[in-house]
Amino acid sequence: MSLKLPCLLRSALVVATVALLAGCGFHLRQSAALPAGMKKIHLTVSGGGKLERDLTRALEGSGAVVVDKPSADSAELAVTSNTFRTDSLTVSGTARVTEYAVRYHVEFNAKAPDGTQIIPTQSVDMSREFSYDATNTIGTASQTEELQRSLIGDMVQSILFRLQAAGAHPALATPTPAAQ
C-alpha cells in the first residue's frame, strides 16, 4: 500500500506538469516553413559577419540550400542594410552617461526564382538598453557585444518569421515582377 502512494504521486506530478506546460502555450521552437520556391536560396548580406552566418545556418535548418552564386532556380534573399548604433539615453547630474541603447537596423527583401517579390523591402528595428558604470568601462564593451549577439539572434528569427508568414499568406505579399 505504501509503494502505490509514491507511484501515484509521481504520476500525478507528471500529468500536472504536462498540463501546465500545454496550458501556458509553451512549444519547442521549430524550423520555419519557407515559402514555395525558396528551397534553394542565394543570400547576400550587407556587411556580412555574424548575421550572414546565423541566417545561413537558420535557412539550412529550415530545409533550404544556400548557394554562393545566384542561378535561374534559386530565390534571392538580400539584406541591404545591417547596422548597429549606440545612443546615450540618460545623463547623471555630473554630466556622465548612465544609460545606453544599442540599436539594430536591418532592411531586407526576398524574390522568387522567377523574379516576383516574395517579400518587398522591409525594415526591422530592434534595441536593447543597458546601464553604464563609469568605474567598469571594460564591462561596457562586453555588454555591448553581448547585446549585439542577442539582437542578431532575434533578427534572424524575425526574418524567418516574416518568410514563414509570406509562405502561409502569399496574397499579402505583393507579387510584382522585378524591375529589369
Side-chain angles (χ1 to χ4, degrees):
M1 189 87 167
S2 64
L3 284 175
K4 288 186 178 185
L5 184 60
C7 187
L8 185 61
L9 182 62
R10 201 172 331 163
S11 297
L13 278 172
V14 169
V15 169
T17 302
V18 169
L20 187 63
L21 283 175
C24 77
F26 173 79
H27 299 287
L28 292 174
R29 186 178 289 174
Q30 299 175 349
S31 58
L34 297 175
M38 289 199 78
K39 296 303 175 197
K40 191 173 181 184
I41 302 171
H42 175 250
L43 174 65
T44 56
V45 178
S46 170
K50 185 162 173 46
L51 178 65
E52 184 173 14
R53 287 188 305 274
D54 288 359
L55 193 52
T56 298
R57 197 173 303 128
L59 289 167
E60 290 171 344
S62 295
V65 175
V66 179
V67 296
D68 293 335
K69 295 182 181 181
S71 63
D73 63 340
S74 66
E76 178 75 27
L77 177 59
V79 178
T80 55
S81 177
N82 172 26
T83 58
F84 281 102
R85 88 172 188 259
T86 304
D87 296 334
S88 56
L89 295 177
T90 59
V91 179
S92 71
T94 58
R96 291 186 181 192
V97 176
T98 56
E99 284 185 321
Y100 281 102
V102 176
R103 303 193 191 281
Y104 191 30
H105 174 80
V106 168
E107 291 179 10
F108 71 97
N109 62 65
K111 294 178 184 165
D114 64 359
T116 60
Q117 284 188 336
I118 296 172
I119 297 179
T121 300
Q122 294 192 7
S123 176
V124 182
D125 293 296
M126 296 181 175
S127 67
R128 299 281 191 279
E129 299 171 2
F130 69 98
S131 298
Y132 174 72
D133 181 4
T135 63
N136 186 11
T137 56
I138 294 174
T140 302
S142 63
Q143 274 182 308
T144 302
E145 289 171 11
E146 184 57 38
L147 290 173
Q148 287 179 348
R149 279 193 292 274
S150 171
L151 286 167
I152 289 171
D154 290 348
M155 188 62 70
V156 167
Q157 289 302 311
S158 178
I159 291 170
L160 287 179
F161 288 150
R162 289 165 191 245
L163 288 171
Q164 183 171 334
H169 307 286
L172 296 178
T174 54
T176 57
Q180 299 295 332

